[in-house]
Amino acid sequence: RVISIGRLEPQKGFDMLISAWKIVSDKHNDWILDIYGNGGLCDSLEKQIINLNLSESCIIHPATENIEEKYMESSIYVMSSLYEGFGLVLIEAMSFGVPCVSFDCPYGPSDIISNGKDGILVEPNNINKLADAICSLIENEDKRLELGNEAKIKVQRFSADNIMPLWDKLFHSLV
């Protein structure tokens, strides 16, 4: 299973993810893409899924309170955003050992993912490269596990134990 989470709005690039999923699904029809979120593009994304004959392998779910369970059921996380502020969902997925594939969009993913070490960054808006990166992880379970394990370790740099002293130091320096 592949998972993606976010508001169903243009910024999140779910239309590109669904187009990439068509390429992935043609090669790996036993894999499922679960998209979790609510928003104004739900109907158009559902139509895109139907038009691409992906109804069996690409499912849009409403936002859920129990997202941790969904991460645990997933093998890959994909972020197809056009831009991000910071990409907390990447940190969340990585904390569960789920390797991430993301567009290397402005402001965020490259601050979190070390390309090829704990996730994969691809050229922004490049549907074919996004599909290729997903396929490479589907086809290489060892690489998936390696990236996921490394992600779980590396993401600790964002833990409260590591971040709170930095905030404390900053606030004290301002007073």
Side-chain angles (χ1 to χ4, degrees), residues 2-6 8 10 12-25 33-36 45 48-49 52 54 57-60 76-82 101-103 125-128 130-131 134:
V2 176
I3 187 172
S4 192
I5 300 166
L8 304 180
K12 300 301 182 179
F14 286 117
D15 57 330
M16 290 187 292
L17 175 55
I18 292 167
S19 293
W21 190 254
K22 174 63 175 164
I23 298 167
V24 173
S25 182
L33 170 61
D34 292 307
I35 299 172
Y36 289 89
L45 295 173
Q48 181 184 7
I49 289 167
L52 292 174
L54 293 173
S57 69
C58 182
I59 303 157
I60 297 178
I76 302 167
Y77 180 86
V78 180
M79 189 167 81
S80 54
S81 296
L82 304 175
V101 175
S102 176
F103 281 139
N125 308 323
N126 191 321
I127 291 166
N128 290 318
L130 185 65
I134 297 167

Side-chain angles (χ1 to χ4, degrees), residues 118-166:
D118 54 21
I120 299 176
L121 296 170
V122 299
E123 179 184 327
N125 308 323
N126 191 321
I127 291 166
N128 290 318
K129 287 192 179 189
L130 185 65
D132 289 347
I134 297 167
C135 285
S136 74
L137 290 183
I138 287 173
E139 295 162 5
N140 190 338
E141 182 178 9
D142 290 342
K143 184 68 171 174
R144 241 185 9 250
L145 295 173
E146 178 186 321
L147 290 177
N149 288 334
E150 189 64 22
K152 200 170 189 175
I153 293 165
K154 287 290 211 58
V155 79
Q156 290 303 309
R157 70 187 186 272
F158 299 109
S159 72
D161 289 342
N162 289 325
I163 295 297
M164 293 310 284
L166 298 173

Side-chain angles (χ1 to χ4, degrees), residues 111-122:
D111 293 326
I112 299 168
I113 294 174
S114 297
N115 189 33
K117 296 178 182 171
D118 54 21
I120 299 176
L121 296 170
V122 299

